[in-house]
Structure formats: structure tokens, C-alpha cells
Amino acid sequence: MTKKAIPTPIATDQAPAAIGPYAQAVKLGNLLFTSGQIPLGLDGEVVAGGVEEQTHQVFANLKAVLAEAGAEFSDVVKATVFIKDMGQFAAINAIYASYFGDHKPARSTVEVARLPKDVLVEIELIVSINVE
């Protein structure tokens, strides 16, 4: 009989706490699914500035969650990017590329009417991780 993998929540105090009833990420087998990260600082407040500052903060939060799970951006297999204004795609895309370098995970980018706390960008990831 095959055992079913048990989902394991991942949490770190190096990224803002969840603002609802969800985990920062969930590990299942060799996959890690991050919740969408928005540009909150550790104090739970939206970072000051525009889309560039917000996108960098989202990546800082994702990096912290990935590190807690023993992963990094080169382990990402799929990213979903939610943006408030497709007119800001180029700025977000340039910052996105700076974090992934030569690594090119699959990606979807979607313009949405509204994001939590009225932020400009949210990103979630699916990551391949080592199984202990």
C-alpha cells in the first residue's frame, strides 16, 4: 500500500505572518507551494513606494519562505504573478528577471481588479525541493 504524502506547513519569522487562515507555504513530498506574497514588511505594513519597491519586497518575502524550506529561486518550477496594472508589466518583469537570472521557470501573469491591502503585485511559487 502506498502512503499518502502529508502536507507540512512552512513558517518563518523572516517573512510577514499570514494575514488570514493560511500557511506561508506548504510542503508536500518534493514540492513546495507558497501562498501569494504581497509587499508587506515584517511589521505587517505595506512597504512605501511604487511597484518597484513593492516587487522587491515580494521577492524578499518569497526568499525568506524558500530559505525556511531549504530552497532558493533556482528551484522554482512555476510562478504566478498577479498585478494590478498590466501597464507596469515591464517594470515588474525586469525585477523578476533579476531574481531568477538564467533560470526560467514556467510563469503566468494576470492583471487583477484588486489585491489584498490594495497592493500592486502578488506572487506565488511552486518549487521542487529535496525530500529528507
Side-chain angles (χ1 to χ4, degrees):
M1 178 190 271
T2 304
K3 284 186 176 181
K4 184 177 177 182
I6 298 171
T8 305
I10 301 294
T12 177
D13 61 4
Q14 298 303 303
I19 58 174
Y22 58 88
Q24 291 170 326
V26 173
K27 182 171 115 174
L28 182 66
N30 70 331
L31 293 176
L32 179 75
F33 301 86
T34 73
S35 291
Q37 289 293 314
I38 61 174
L40 299 180
L42 291 177
D43 61 1
E45 298 297 319
V46 176
V47 297
V51 72
E52 291 88 1
E53 292 83 3
Q54 288 195 11
T55 304
H56 282 294
Q57 184 63 50
V58 166
F59 274 100
N61 296 344
L62 287 167
K63 183 177 182 178
V65 173
L66 294 181
E68 184 67 23
E72 51 194 36
F73 290 121
S74 62
D75 299 316
V76 173
V77 295
K78 173 75 165 70
T80 305
V81 181
F82 304 95
I83 59 178
K84 179 143 174 67
D85 177 5
M86 197 58 80
Q88 297 177 324
F89 176 82
I92 293 168
N93 197 49
I95 294 165
Y96 176 99
S98 75
Y99 284 91
F100 284 104
D102 291 333
H103 180 61
K104 306 280 190 269
R107 180 179 78 183
S108 300
T109 302
V110 182
E111 181 182 69
V112 296
R114 194 167 180 201
L115 290 165
K117 296 191 175 263
D118 292 317
V119 300
L120 303 174
V121 61
E122 178 176 2
I123 301 174
E124 65 183 27
L125 304 174
I126 300 173
V127 184
S128 177
I129 58 174
N130 293 324
V131 177
E132 297 176 3

